[in-house]
């Protein structure tokens, strides 16, 4: 296990091929996927043949920027993942923050704790200049995490969705914080 970062209650580590089942379970929960696919699960073949390969590839390309499996520090229970990766592959200075946690982990502050730790690491040790995050405008829980992690609202925008899900008509939101504006 390659640990990337630890916090008071979390271990963020590299994914391995052995995590496929955990990812399938995570993406199989309709509530977890509500604001992403309208609740439709991600098929196992997509998790194994696309997503997991993407996560592993990012370690080779960027080392310290990518997707990180999140586990409880005490007990090692799989909680979900955090994303902290370049928006533009040619520029490590702007990264996207994301998170996807299992329902039992909701409401315990894990998303905020992991997000703050990644932002701190990005600004103090990785040369990141700006962190951005996106979600559906109606995803109030995720928006609150972004705010508690120190990101501020930037804009609402609309994308063309071939298969819109409830709430897409209200748009997507962008939140961000720069290194100059960040307060630990």
């Amino acid at each position: 296990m390659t640990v990337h970062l630890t916090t008071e209650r979390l271990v963020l580590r590299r994914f391995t091929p052995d995590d496929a089942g955990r990812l399938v379970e995570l993406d199989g929960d309709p509530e977890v996927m509500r604001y992403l696919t309208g609740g439709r699960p991600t098929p196992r073949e997509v998790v194994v043949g696309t997503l997991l390969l993407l996560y592993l590839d990012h370690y080779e390309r960027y080392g310290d920027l990518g997707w990180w499996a999140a586990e409880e520090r005490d007990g090692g229970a799989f909680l979900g993942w955090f994303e902290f990766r370049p928006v533009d592959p040619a520029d490590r200075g702007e990264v996207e923050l994301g998170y996807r946690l299992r329902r039992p982990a909701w409401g315990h502050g894990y998303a905020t704790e992991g997000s703050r730790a990644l932002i701190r690491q990005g600004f103090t040790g990785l040369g990141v200049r700006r962190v951005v995050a996106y979600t559906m405008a109606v995803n109030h829980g995720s928006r609150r995490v972004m705010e508690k992690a120190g990101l501020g609202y930037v804009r609402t925008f609309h994308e063309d969705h071939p298969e819109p899900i409830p709430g897409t008509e209200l748009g997507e939101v962008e939140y961000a914080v720069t290194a100059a504006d960040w307060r630990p």
Side-chain angles (χ1 to χ4, degrees), residues 33-44:
M33 301 304 288
R34 177 179 176 191
Y35 296 113
L36 301 164
T37 65
R40 289 185 312 277
T42 305
R44 180 177 188 80

Side-chain angles (χ1 to χ4, degrees), residues 13-16 19 23 52 55-56 59 67-69 78 81:
R13 63 164 177 82
R14 286 185 173 201
F15 277 104
T16 72
D19 289 308
L23 289 168
L52 192 52
Y55 301 168
L56 299 175
Y59 305 137
W67 281 266
W68 309 102
F78 178 74
W81 56 252

Side-chain angles (χ1 to χ4, degrees), residues 4-10 12 82-84 97-99 108-126 131 144-151 177 182-184:
H4 175 69
L5 185 64
T6 58
T7 70
E8 182 181 334
R9 300 178 300 153
L10 299 172
L12 303 185
F82 286 86
E83 165 194 15
F84 201 70
L97 170 70
Y99 34 83
H108 298 281
Y110 292 126
T112 301
E113 183 176 329
S115 296
R116 285 178 177 165
L118 286 166
I119 292 167
R120 179 183 310 108
Q121 180 187 54
F123 288 150
T124 63
L126 301 179
V131 175
R144 183 70 186 123
V145 168
M146 293 173 190
E147 292 166 356
K148 290 193 306 188
L151 284 76
V177 63
W182 174 70
R183 302 288 177 256

